[in-house]
Amino acid sequence: MNGISKPAAEASTTSGPAEYGTAQITVLEGLEAVRKRPSMYIGDTNVYGLHHLVYEVVDNSVDEALAGFCTTLAVTIHVDGSVSVKDNGRGIPVGPHPTVHGMDTVDVVMTKLHAGGKFENSAYKVSGGLHGVGVSCVNALSEWLRLEIQRNGKVYEQRYARGIPQQQVAEVGVTDGRGTTVWFKPDPTIFETTDISFDTLSQRLRELAFLNAGLSITITDERTSKSHSFQFDGGIVSFVEYLNKSKETLHPPIFFKAVKDDVALEIAMQWNDGYDERIYTFANNINTHEGGSHLVGFKSALTRSINAYAERGGVWKDLKEAPTGEDAREGLAAVISVKLANPQFEGQTKTKLGNSELKGLVEQMVNESLGNFLEENPGAARKIMAKIGDATRGRIAARKARETVRRKGALDGLSLPGKLADCQSKDPSESELYIVEGDSAGGSAKQGRDRRNQAILPLKGKILNVEKARFEKMLTSGEIVALITALGTGVGREDYDPTAARYHRIILMTDADVDGSHIRTLLLTFFYRQMPELIAKGYLYIAQPPLYKVTRGKKELFLKDQRSLDEYLLRIAMERAVVETSAGELKGPALRALLERVAQYQDRLAKLSRRRDPRVLDALVQAARIDETTLLDMDALARQVEAMHAWMGERTPDVLGHLKTFRKDDPEHQAKKLVFRTEMNGSPRETVVDHAFLTSPEYAELVALREVFAQGGPPPYRVRFEESEASAKSVQEILAAVRADASRGLAIQRFKGLGEMNPEQLWDTTMNPETRTLLQVRVEDAVESDDIFALLMGEAVEPRREFIEKNALDVQNLDI
Amino acid sequence: MAALCPSCHKPAGPRPGNKSAPFCSPRCRQVDLGRWLGEEYRVPDRPLDAEPEQPRPASAPAQDEDGR
């Protein structure tokens, strides 16, 4: 403990007993004051004050380290609750004090308030020395205190009880080492608690080790055998790394130091990708919890430097308002350490730095150094700027979201949106909300619904002309708020409660066209991102309005898709068609079975038609009898090609007109392959019939279907209807003929918009729980929706256009 | 393959470990909400005065319905 010494006082250790007595009186006067009002000196007599005693002693050792004389410091909590602090500093000077007559310097230091080097600034240029109360306070408030000093090759000892020396300073031995050990036991008659906390001390000692690069500090708790060692050669840079140790950091720590007007400033700072702001400030090693002028200076300079840099570099052009200091400090870990000659500590706990001159000084230093850092490290700067930009956007977004939602009353649950036609039931488990795009459809839905448990919320997308021929649709914030309000869940970080949903069936009902599917993608994405719990609970559905309306006489029928339409037509056909084949008559279910196979056959051909000519394939399958072995036999191959030509000549002469048939080598299979060149819709097409195709499952399936058709004998066929008859040269022509007949007297209308249905029709087809089909949205659907959405939102125009054109965001995309 | 946060495009863990999924953090979800309310999300649409799509013959396949 030598933070307390006047190095000038160097003398031998002789003090007469008589003089000692007189000195004791002065001692008592000073220390009695401390014992009478301990809180005035150490804050309180509870946990805070108790630990303060240790800090007081430790800080004296650290001051010795600051002065460059101490490198290690060991703190031990002993089993009896006493604490010892041992350093390897110069040791408290021993010998008669030069000005206090009759007292040893050791006793002066230990018993006189405000004694010691730090009050005169000469021995210690800067010093933390706790607010000037001195180690004598510790002594006064200790049941006992034992001092051991190693100095000048000798070991000295002194003992005190409640501050009163128990003997003269005694030389007890010799040593190679040097340093001071202060071992004291807090006085239980003063303190309400005497339980020293290992963790509390550890935290402070770790800080001190950070603040004093290279200083080795150990703490041992003999009560529990816990122990820590702290030594950080990187100083406050290590401190910042420690603060960020479990975080994803954006750049290596920034460090700068400066000395000006007797003030030494060190700052280390590093942003992480988190949201906490952690700035630790110190003045002369004291943790200035309450901040003060250095922190104020730092904050204002930080905001200014960041904004100045951003302005020069033109970043954040998209931001609607400039980042605030809080934005700039989001995810920032920083340590500011100032050392100055005359710290003024203010505030409730005396942990606020008051020196007003520091604000400008720190500001100036940070402006220069941080500005330079950003200019010289564009990579780190870019990441920091991006992070702050995000913080700003996040703050603006959060505020906007909160304001919008609150202003429009989405949270009070009382004022439902005006356009919501709510249901009578208040029981969410039986209530349904139809979200309907388009006003006219909304009107039909309102009239057609069962108002007992079906609510209607019409939403209208707003159309924007973004380029000459490019239009976009969006939901206005008003629409979104109306949606949130109707749902009753609230939204956002603080206000969202999925259990408050007012409906347990939320049904998206949009037009069955591309635009309708876009709006649905938009809505699905909103739910997926902002209310994923509703999807997870299975609350979200997609309505299935019909695609076709079929009118037969006065009867109207709605069919939900192409497949239902085909089935319907076949059903009619089988009621009234008879097919005569060479194998006998086909009608009723048998006819229907055949025609279903024909439809399947056509479907497969259509799928293969992307790269081949389906008419050529049809001839290949129906007229020829080819498998992969035929490719080895030239004569057989020629015969089969001839059969194909004949087939086409009869049925598709126009194809035959342009057909060019080639036989080419296929060395890989030591065989030939056939290439048919045709024209389809004016563009040339090559149908390759090779080993690979003839062994493919697609070909096998087509052949299998042909075998089924063959059971009806070879064409031609006769198709008899009630009032007419027709001839068919192939099974496909049978299907076409019966379809044509079935469609006779039918009006088939393709629905696009929901608005094309009147309220009753909408009820019957789409909303009546007895007859409707609903698709429940699963999380995977929503993920896919988000992917599509991302594509729709994409910056890259070309892939986006291509995607839209190719996939047409087909209704089926999402309905599977 | 970790999913990416729709806001910041950094990896975002799945539920239940990540309560903010599909976002990486509550903040990113908030940013997204701000974009919805800021009317920044738009999907392609056809012009107002465009021809309505023609009804299609009953036998035509239903797939290719982009109509553009």
Side-chain angles (χ1 to χ4, degrees), chain B:
Chain B
M1 194 188 77
L4 298 184
C5 170
S7 279
C8 68
H9 309 296
K10 286 184 222 159
R15 281 167 197 275
N18 171 16
K19 283 191 170 170
S20 303
F23 298 93
C24 67
S25 64
R27 237 286 293 298
C28 277
R29 162 168 293 173
Q30 199 75 20
V31 169
D32 181 69
L33 179 60
R35 288 190 182 139
W36 287 104
L37 293 168
E39 306 182 349
E40 291 176 39
Y41 289 138
R42 293 156 189 195
V43 291
D45 197 79
R46 76 167 150 254
L48 273 176
D49 54 356
E51 289 285 306
E53 290 164 67
Q54 291 302 311
R56 168 184 312 264
S59 55
Q63 278 96 319
D64 52 5
E65 57 164 330
D66 61 11
R68 283 159 209 247

Side-chain angles (χ1 to χ4, degrees), chain A residues 23-40:
Chain A
Q24 203 172 17
I25 297 162
T26 19
V27 168
L28 277 172
E29 282 167 1
L31 295 191
E32 216 32 59
V34 177
R35 289 183 60 83
K36 265 189 184 148
R37 293 190 186 81
S39 300
M40 269 186 58

Side-chain angles (χ1 to χ4, degrees), chain A residues 585-648:
Chain A
E585 280 194 350
L586 269 178
K587 58 181 181 182
L591 175 59
R592 183 171 170 184
L594 173 73
L595 294 179
E596 277 170 2
R597 291 305 179 89
V598 176
Q600 186 188 346
Y601 178 77
Q602 285 183 322
D603 181 58
R604 297 303 183 271
L605 275 189
K607 286 212 169 106
L608 287 168
S609 72
R610 206 163 272 225
R611 289 172 49 212
R612 300 180 175 84
D613 188 327
R615 299 162 303 182
V616 174
L617 284 185
D618 184 40
L620 175 77
V621 174
Q622 301 226 47
R625 293 295 178 271
I626 290 185
D627 62 17
E628 69 275 17
T629 61
T630 321
L631 296 176
L632 304 170
D633 181 341
M634 290 311 105
D635 293 342
L637 204 53
R639 282 196 300 277
Q640 299 304 332
V641 170
E642 228 158 84
M644 286 173 65
H645 287 177
W647 174 276
M648 285 189 276

Side-chain angles (χ1 to χ4, degrees), chain A residues 16-27 101-103:
Chain A
E19 292 144 307
Y20 183 78
T22 39
Q24 203 172 17
I25 297 162
T26 19
V27 168
H101 180 65
M103 273 183 84

